[in-house]
Amino acid sequence: MTSDGLLLLEIAASVVLVTAWIALVHRRLDAQVRLYAIQSLALAVISGLVAYLYSAPLLYLTGALFAALNGALLPWILLTVRRELRIPPEANMLVSVRGSALAGLGCLLLAVAVVGPLTPLAAVPAAGLLPISVTVVLVGLFVTVSRRKAFSQVLGILVMENGVFLAGLALTYGLGILLELGIAANLLVLAIVSRLFLHRMKDSFDSLDADVLRSLEG
Amino acid sequence: MTAPAPWVQFLLLVFELALVLGISPMLVGIMRRVKARSQRRLGPPLLQPYRDLRKLFRKDRIYAESASTLTPYAPWVSFVALVSAVPFLPWFFVPAPLGFAGDLIVVVGLLALSRFMTALAALDAGSTFGGMGSTRDMWIGALAEPTFLLVIFAWGAPSGSTQASVIVEHGLSLGLAHLSPALLLASTAFGVLLLAETGRLPVDNPATHLELTMVHEAMVLEYTGQDLAVIEWGKGIKFVLLAGLLTAVLLPWGIATALGAGALALGVGLLLVKLSSTAWLVGHLETRVAKWRLFRVADLSTLAVALALGSIALTYLVGVGS
Amino acid sequence: MAFVAPFDLVGGALVVLAASGGAGLLPSASSRRATVGALSLALLGCLLLVSVALEVLLGGAAGTATVALPGFQSASEALSLAVVLGPLQGLFLLLVGAVGGAITLASVGYVPAYVHERPATLAGVYGLFVGSMALLVLSGTAFLFLVAWEGMTLLSYVMVVHEHGSWDVRRAGLTYLVMSHAAAAALLAGFVVLYVGTGSTNFGAMSANARALPELTRDAVFVAMVLGFGTKAGVVPLHVWLPEAHPAAPSNVSSIMSGVMIKMGVFGLLLVVFEVLGGGPLWWGFVLLVLGAASALLGVLNAIAQHDVKRLLAFHSVENIGIIFMALGAALVFLSLGWPALAAVALLAAILHTFNHAMFKGLLFLGAGAVVGTTGTRDMEQMGGLARGMPRTAIAFLFGAMAISALPPLNGFVSEWLLFQAFFASFGTGSLATEVAFTAAAGTLALASGLAAYCFVKAFGVIFLARPRSEVARSVRSDAPAAMQVGMVALAGACVTVGVFPVLLLSTFAGTVRTLTGASYATSPWAWGAPLAFPSVSGAATPSVPPHGSLAIGVVALLLMVVLLAAMVLRRATSNGSPSRRPMWDCGMDAPTPRMEYTASGYAQPILRLFSVFYGAHPVSELGDLGGARPGVLQKTVRHESEVDYPLMEQVYSPIVRLLRELARRVSRLQSGGIHAYLAYMVLTLVVLLVASRLFGGVLP
């Protein structure tokens, strides 16, 4: 049973990796947000699995929170923000699609080279988790620097955060501190998102008065 | 796992050939049907491709006046190369009947032979369409080759073999643990490859006859009659080959490793399920994506190569795969 | 078993080849008779070489025999001469004799038909050239090796500039000569260092002592050898002479240069780096691997951009030499990691590909020669539809094209398969750098072979298929001369035979593989259905490499035949009457003209665009010359121009050439013309030599 659980863990981790990679090369913001949502849901599943495997009931809560916040609420906010602020749907990439795909590979190789040797030392539930999580962090970082739009940068930070979350799960089995960290990170991201929101509002309307949003209608 | 007696092997070989030849039009039918349904159309009946083949086999052959003697034979060589790849792959029983004689690299070679012949024949009449399709198809094929090979390396990594049967047996022996991140990464890359190699959206639109978008259709414009029949049939077979390989490696369960009526029946049944679900998935995907510009196909190939390399990195450097 | 000792046969072969030179070069009444006579003697020489090679390879005469040539024992050991005949020599004699023989046979048809100026001279030099290659292979001492090497270079230069009426040809010849001499200088330096270190010029004695040399000395020798042999082989970035010289030469000469002569670079590396030096540190292998990968990729990419058929083929030689170098590099890496069995696999791939490339490239150049000779142009845009006028040439060329594209069941596939397996096997070695490098190399090789297929669909399609693009192409009625057809069919047959029964050829590699790696590769030459097994290492502990792929290409070919037969039966059964011929589909337009066909340049365009980084400039396609019409409205004429630069030439070689010119200008100041100055130089030289002999007298015997 445990080995099957580990296996599911690995599969979920692969989903996290593949979604990050595809989001990296995708040229549509909405699709990127949806990929992020899938990734977050996969992380929530991982959280639940770790909770089950290592009898850490607190992690069920983390997982549920994660699914609700990162898997549903944040994507919804992002999609709404994009639509309401009329941000054009294309991700303006500073690096070509091909370059980004290869950059993803570079992130993976770097992660594997740096973290790979550590894997046997750390008591990690599944061997691939640590390099994958570091890869996801690096990919998120790459997204933040290689996109022109503030929206993409937020997305990149969110992906990074998912990577950190995965690393935390992999290393500590998510006990105690992780929960707090996870929530803190989420709050941070929410703050950034709202900041972006307000910033854009200010840019567009020279005002933070929510009433001006009505002018968006019609 | 010992190989069965030669005559059993032979029977298996014949049955596999018949199976693949027989069901490939059906899968084309499924794809068309699913695509039509998800576009709120009724779509052709599932058996329509069989009727098309029968019709084509009855029609007269016409060749362009400018065509050389290559034209009448090229589609058949191309078809034969595809059919010959069947016994090297695991379908419902491993080891594959001719697994000892050829590994997956041979399959790559046979697919290349098939493509080479079709692309040559496209140039034969001297029509602009043919040249256009030919150069585009070879372009896509040249980019697909490294992906295919690296995916083979990635798949073969845990078992240390490039033979499909050994890969599948190894996967079966691992149980569920076979589904490693490395495998999933490589299989994603192969999925991209499958779309490119079989001429599906977003790489090529099998339903188009617009010169801006045609790839495969442009190559075969000059053909009719039984030649066109084997071209169409071959296209279906190519899909079955690649889809069969993907499902056998990704989800090897159900493939029999020992002879027995139950095991074989289960193997065949699950094979049909796996193949038709792949066709169903591809059909759905085709409704959701648009045809891409030809040069964006290179982006897709790069992604696939990167994924395959990533898979190899995970396998060898971290040992995730084994 | 042997009625004639191998050395006597070799002597006979060399004498016959020298006589061939005599027959061609001596004044003769009938130029035609002299030509055919010289070439026939050359053919006889080739056959003798083959018999020597077979006797050495199959006769069980394992080990290496060296014979010092009596009467040539100089007072200085450094200048002594000896010939040697071991498994490696046997293999390359087979290459020179068999592939050279087929090309010579074709030359009997080619030279009288297509070479209009001084054919007998060309034939005579050709015979001597084959002899120089045989002598090179047989050299037992570095001195003889260098003499033969220079002879080979100069004779081939004479043939390259045979049609020296054109400025292009002379320029190509000059490039070739200059680069070859730079290469020979590198070789000379390498051999001198080896001689100083080991105290002998005899390869056997060198080999015994070379492994104990200091690391730095061995590295220096390796670098010199890579420069020297790499230039001859045509590996990037030392290949620039190759796409110039091959097209300039008469086609039978291009054929033997590309098929056989550039392989002498491979022979040199096998002899010096593998046999004499016995392999080296890891980075040696990586150097060859990187050079090879760069050559494979740049070679094929440049080939695609060409519309001169012979230049296209020349760039493919660069590609295939790259593949061979990759295999050699892999073998070196495995050797230095201590995996002789895997090194043996890579080495088998390297040698097999050397033979394969000789066969199909020789064939392709002959086919190109027939086409160029018949149409009088090398420009593929002027060809088209030649399959109708020259069906046999077309079929032979098609086999060559399929073999070079690594399609099963032809020979190119087998060697690339072996190389892929060697790369795949790296994963058991536990060396991270090797795994990463070999994976990248495998990807490069796959891309290169995909692109090669692309290029040959283009080449075959544009030359032989579709409708004639010019009046010349339309008027082609006759196929190549009979002897040429026989030569091409022989090579095409060899491509198929080696493709279907690779063990026939592979079994002759056993001795070489044992000598160079220590791994034994034993297989029966008749085990055609048996999978290509991985060689086992006798004596040493067998490495715990996992089981690998297996290939019984004979079975694959048999399956293809059976399925093809069944398909043909189906075709016959469902056929209703003979097919009719109609005009091609014109999409409702008025009868499309051949000018509307896809051109060679058009076909290459997607690749040029995707890999524009590797080409100097994007191909320029412009609408130009408005011809009086208002811009943007009806344009009277439209001109498309596509120009592909060759960045390496401009960015790397031009500065070097400029630098050399500058240096030459400075040096020329020494030539004051005054007799006193020249006498002073002499005195100065004498003094320097005396001092040097005093200082280094202990080192130089």
Side-chain angles (χ1 to χ4, degrees):
Chain A
M1 191 58 221
T2 316
S3 75
D4 287 356
L6 282 180
L7 167 76
L8 285 171
L9 206 64
E10 285 206 337
I11 296 175
S14 333
V15 173
V16 172
L17 177 58
V18 172
T19 46
W21 209 325
I22 296 178
L24 175 64
V25 297
H26 216 293
R27 307 207 296 186
R28 296 267 151 182
L29 292 176
D30 285 7
Q32 285 179 330
V33 173
R34 287 195 198 100
L35 283 165
Y36 169 74
I38 298 172
Q39 186 181 54
S40 304
L41 291 177
L43 272 171
V45 170
I46 291 181
S47 184
L49 280 170
V50 173
Y52 173 75
L53 291 172
Y54 297 95
S55 319
L58 217 54
L59 274 180
Y60 286 120
L61 183 63
T62 316
L65 267 175
F66 209 83
L69 282 178
N70 293 34
L73 184 62
L74 267 176
W76 179 77
I77 292 178
L78 284 171
L79 289 176
T80 321
V81 164
R82 193 198 70 68
R83 214 166 304 129
E84 289 187 348
L85 292 184
R86 296 190 181 165
I87 300 171
E90 295 87 16
N92 286 4
M93 302 164 93
L94 295 171
V95 179
S96 71
V97 173
R98 258 172 268 159
S100 301
L102 293 177
L105 177 65
C107 293
L108 178 63
L109 289 180
L110 185 64
V112 159
V114 173
V115 193
L118 297 177
T119 307
L121 303 176
V124 185
L129 284 192
L130 204 49
I132 288 178
S133 58
V134 175
T135 310
V136 173
V137 171
L138 290 174
V139 166
L141 197 60
F142 185 77
V143 170
T144 57
V145 297
S146 68
R147 303 301 150 95
R148 202 167 280 131
K149 286 181 178 161
F151 189 88
S152 299
Q153 284 160 2
V154 170
L155 210 61
I157 291 169
L158 286 173
V159 171
M160 272 171 75
E161 190 238 337
N162 276 1
V164 171
F165 187 74
L166 182 63
L169 280 172
L171 283 176
T172 65
Y173 315 139
L175 295 172
I177 186 89
L178 179 71
L179 181 71
E180 293 178 30
L181 273 179
I183 292 171
N186 267 321
L187 287 176
L188 177 73
V189 170
L190 280 171
I192 292 171
V193 172
S194 40
R195 193 172 166 280
L196 164 89
F197 191 74
L198 298 174
H199 190 69
R200 282 304 304 247
M201 264 177 71
K202 195 175 175 189
D203 272 2
S204 309
F205 309 107
D206 274 337
S207 163
L208 288 175
D209 188 349
D211 280 344
V212 293
L213 288 175
R214 283 195 194 131
S215 66
L216 290 167
E217 291 172 0
Chain B
M1 265 156 272
T2 48
W7 66 270
V8 180
Q9 297 263 28
F10 182 73
L11 281 185
L12 277 171
L13 188 154
V14 172
F15 182 67
E16 283 179 1
L17 282 175
L19 185 73
V20 171
L21 283 169
I23 61 170
S24 55
M26 170 71 98
L27 290 169
V28 175
I30 293 178
M31 276 186 282
R32 284 191 197 149
R33 180 86 163 182
V34 168
K35 203 170 159 184
R37 281 296 164 88
S38 60
Q39 293 166 351
R40 300 271 186 275
R41 288 188 287 121
L42 196 57
L46 280 181
L47 296 182
Q48 188 60 39
Y50 293 95
R51 294 181 191 144
D52 290 346
L53 282 185
R54 194 182 56 188
K55 178 189 74 185
L56 284 173
F57 266 115
R58 285 176 180 171
K59 284 176 86 168
D60 290 341
R61 277 173 296 158
I62 301 175
Y63 299 124
E65 280 158 355
S66 46
S68 73
T69 36
L70 184 89
T71 291
Y73 293 101
W76 294 83
V77 176
S78 173
F79 178 72
V80 162
L82 291 173
V83 175
S84 300
V86 170
F88 303 109
L89 296 176
W91 295 101
F92 51 87
F93 180 81
V94 283
L98 288 185
F100 74 94
D103 56 1
L104 288 175
I105 301 176
V106 170
V107 175
V108 178
L110 289 171
L111 291 187
L113 174 63
S114 160
R115 158 171 281 135
F116 189 88
M117 278 298 156
T118 322
L120 267 190
L123 287 172
D124 199 11
S127 110
T128 316
F129 294 107
M132 201 166 55
S134 174
T135 178
R136 288 175 182 173
D137 196 54
M138 290 308 292
W139 191 80
I140 294 169
L143 295 183
E145 199 125 320
T147 313
F148 206 153
L149 212 100
L150 290 172
V151 169
I152 293 175
F153 271 37
W155 276 349
S159 61
S161 174
T162 52
Q163 271 169 280
S165 303
V166 179
I167 293 171
V168 167
E169 279 174 6
H170 183 80
L172 282 172
S173 74
L174 285 179
L176 277 174
H178 155 70
L179 287 174
S180 64
L183 176 82
L184 294 179
L185 230 53
S187 303
T188 312
F190 193 82
V192 173
L193 176 86
L194 181 133
L195 296 178
E197 279 271 346
T198 55
R200 313 302 304 188
L201 286 171
V203 176
D204 182 13
N205 185 353
T208 186
H209 278 98
L210 191 69
E211 59 264 33
L212 281 175
T213 55
M214 282 192 289
V215 181
H216 188 266
E217 289 307 310
M219 289 201 293
V220 303
L221 267 181
E222 295 291 330
Y223 280 110
T224 182
Q226 35 175 193
D227 299 327
L228 186 58
V230 287
I231 289 170
E232 293 294 330
W233 202 356
K235 232 180 134 188
I237 290 172
K238 195 170 183 184
F239 180 81
V240 176
L241 286 176
L242 295 176
L245 177 60
L246 175 61
T247 52
V249 174
L250 185 62
L251 309 164
W253 299 287
I255 295 179
T257 53
L259 289 172
L264 286 183
L266 181 70
V268 174
L270 277 178
L271 173 68
L272 293 180
V273 172
K274 287 175 198 168
L275 287 178
S276 33
S277 349
T278 314
W280 184 84
L281 268 177
V282 171
H284 266 291
L285 186 75
E286 286 213 313
T287 10
R288 295 184 65 94
V289 295
K291 165 93 169 70
W292 281 12
R293 216 152 40 86
L294 184 68
F295 286 99
R296 277 195 67 199
V297 175
D299 296 348
L300 214 52
S301 318
T302 314
L303 177 65
V305 165
L307 286 171
L309 283 171
S311 160
I312 294 174
L314 276 182
T315 312
Y316 287 111
L317 309 185
V318 195
V320 175
S322 45
Chain C
M1 171 157 185
F3 297 108
V4 190
F7 281 106
D8 297 344
L9 263 180
V10 160
L14 291 179
V15 168
V16 169
L17 289 168
S20 152
L25 294 175
L26 292 179
S28 150
S30 155
S31 146
R32 190 185 159 80
R33 205 178 305 151
T35 309
V36 174
L39 289 173
S40 309
L41 282 173
L43 183 59
L44 180 65
C46 287
L47 294 179
L48 287 175
L49 289 178
V50 171
S51 65
V52 179
L54 290 181
E55 202 168 323
V56 172
L57 294 170
L58 304 177
T64 303
T66 311
V67 171
L69 298 181
F72 286 101
Q73 297 313 305
S74 156
S76 162
E77 202 269 342
L79 301 182
S80 69
L81 304 178
V83 293
V84 64
L85 199 48
L88 181 63
Q89 281 76 18
L91 273 187
F92 279 83
L93 279 188
L94 182 65
L95 183 77
V96 173
V99 179
I103 296 170
T104 310
L105 181 59
S107 304
V108 175
Y110 177 86
V111 177
Y114 298 128
V115 178
H116 305 300
E117 290 172 41
R118 306 177 309 284
T121 313
L122 183 67
V125 177
Y126 179 92
L128 290 177
F129 171 67
V130 175
S132 72
M133 288 195 291
L135 190 65
L136 176 79
V137 171
L138 290 164
S139 302
T141 68
F143 180 63
L144 184 57
F145 188 92
L146 285 172
V147 169
W149 183 267
E150 278 300 292
M152 180 179 85
T153 302
L154 290 175
L155 290 166
S156 55
Y157 166 75
V158 170
M159 296 195 291
V160 166
V161 296
H162 186 74
E163 286 153 10
H164 54 70
S166 122
W167 187 81
D168 279 344
V169 169
R170 291 200 301 275
R171 185 166 163 270
L174 186 65
T175 311
Y176 175 46
L177 199 63
V178 168
M179 292 212 58
S180 296
H181 277 88
L187 289 185
L188 183 62
F191 280 127
V192 166
V193 171
L194 263 181
Y195 170 60
V196 171
T198 61
S200 170
T201 59
N202 189 300
F203 288 132
M206 263 187 194
S207 167
N209 298 331
R211 290 161 212 223
L213 286 178
E215 203 59 28
L216 206 61
T217 314
R218 289 165 53 85
D219 290 349
V221 172
F222 173 75
V223 170
M225 293 300 157
V226 169
L227 286 176
F229 293 130
T231 306
K232 182 58 78 178
V235 78
V236 168
L238 305 169
H239 67 291
V240 287
W241 65 269
L242 206 149
E244 307 294 329
H246 281 31
S251 294
N252 64 324
V253 176
S254 333
S255 181
I256 198 158
M257 279 176 73
S258 189
V260 185
M261 186 195 74
I262 61 172
K263 306 304 179 333
M264 293 302 139
V266 177
F267 170 74
L269 279 181
L270 286 173
L271 180 71
V272 179
V273 175
F274 283 81
E275 192 163 331
V276 172
L277 294 176
L282 204 55
W283 68 266
W284 289 15
F286 284 133
V287 164
L288 292 190
L289 195 71
V290 169
L291 288 178
S295 307
L297 203 55
L298 289 179
V300 71
L301 283 175
N302 278 302
I304 287 176
Q306 307 306 320
H307 50 86
D308 171 341
V309 54
K310 290 181 73 174
R311 222 172 132 81
L312 181 148
L313 292 178
F315 271 115
H316 267 289
S317 295
V318 176
E319 183 221 346
N320 281 281
I321 282 293
I323 295 174
I324 297 169
F325 267 58
M326 281 162 96
L328 289 177
L332 272 184
V333 166
F334 283 135
L335 273 183
S336 89
L337 290 174
W339 303 84
L342 301 182
V345 177
L347 202 61
L348 284 176
I351 304 174
L352 184 61
H353 203 75
T354 304
F355 272 85
N356 288 346
H357 180 248
M359 292 177 226
F360 52 64
K361 189 49 68 67
L363 166 61
L364 289 168
F365 262 118
L366 289 179
V371 165
V372 173
T374 312
T375 59
T377 175
R378 299 203 308 252
D379 187 359
M380 286 157 61
E381 314 284 27
Q382 306 293 317
M383 300 176 185
L386 296 182
R388 238 155 283 126
M390 324 177 66
R392 300 206 183 97
T393 305
I395 289 173
F397 196 93
L398 180 60
F399 273 96
M402 286 167 69
I404 199 173
S405 308
L407 300 179
L410 293 158
N411 57 357
F413 177 76
V414 182
S415 43
E416 289 197 8
W417 185 89
L418 276 171
L419 186 51
F420 277 129
Q421 289 297 333
F423 286 145
F424 187 64
S426 72
F427 294 130
T429 60
S431 154
L432 185 69
T434 311
E435 287 165 4
V436 171
F438 281 20
T439 307
T444 312
L445 179 60
L447 183 61
S449 81
L451 290 173
Y454 185 101
C455 190
F456 276 93
V457 169
K458 164 188 140 166
F460 187 81
V462 170
I463 297 172
F464 291 104
L465 302 180
R467 289 176 297 162
R469 289 159 220 272
S470 69
E471 202 45 57
V472 192
R474 201 168 295 122
S475 59
V476 169
R477 289 285 174 275
S478 60
D479 213 326
M484 211 171 168
Q485 287 180 20
V486 175
M488 287 193 284
V489 167
L491 287 172
C495 287
V496 177
T497 313
V498 172
V500 177
F501 310 112
V503 275
L504 273 184
L505 189 55
L506 282 171
S507 61
T508 62
F509 299 176
T512 306
V513 167
R514 193 170 44 245
T515 321
L516 300 187
T517 66
S520 75
Y521 172 76
T523 177
S524 156
W526 309 113
W528 65 275
L532 297 176
F534 273 70
S536 59
V537 195
S538 46
T542 312
S544 61
V545 280
H548 296 282
S550 69
L551 174 71
I553 188 90
V555 175
V556 179
L558 187 70
L559 178 76
L560 276 170
M561 285 314 296
V562 170
V563 179
L564 187 64
L565 218 70
M568 285 298 121
V569 169
L570 174 72
R571 185 168 188 265
R572 178 66 66 82
T574 56
S575 166
N576 42 3
S578 57
S580 53
R581 292 269 175 176
R582 292 281 183 277
M584 71 178 190
W585 168 242
D586 56 11
C587 201
M589 292 190 301
D590 267 352
T593 66
R595 282 205 57 181
M596 299 178 190
E597 284 173 351
Y598 249 61
T599 58
S601 313
Y603 203 94
Q605 200 263 348
I607 293 290
L608 296 196
R609 184 162 161 183
L610 181 62
F611 294 97
S612 55
V613 195
F614 292 106
Y615 302 101
H618 294 270
V620 197
S621 277
E622 289 174 356
L623 304 178
D625 186 13
L626 301 182
R630 274 185 299 143
V633 195
L634 283 176
Q635 298 177 340
K636 278 189 180 159
T637 56
V638 179
R639 218 163 66 89
H640 290 273
E641 218 175 69
S642 161
E643 199 175 330
V644 177
D645 282 359
Y646 193 33
L648 190 78
M649 206 63 190
E650 277 141 40
Q651 285 161 21
V652 180
Y653 278 89
S654 294
I656 294 178
V657 170
R658 271 200 299 279
L659 186 70
L660 284 177
R661 279 210 180 138
E662 182 61 20
L663 282 176
R665 205 173 53 77
R666 299 219 175 139
V667 170
S668 70
R669 284 190 204 146
L670 291 175
Q671 294 179 320
S672 59
I675 188 86
H676 296 293
Y678 291 143
L679 285 173
Y681 298 151
M682 283 172 154
V683 172
L684 205 63
T685 312
L686 192 65
V687 169
V688 168
L689 280 178
L690 284 172
V691 171
S693 76
R694 190 69 214 132
L695 287 178
F696 306 108
V699 183
L700 293 165

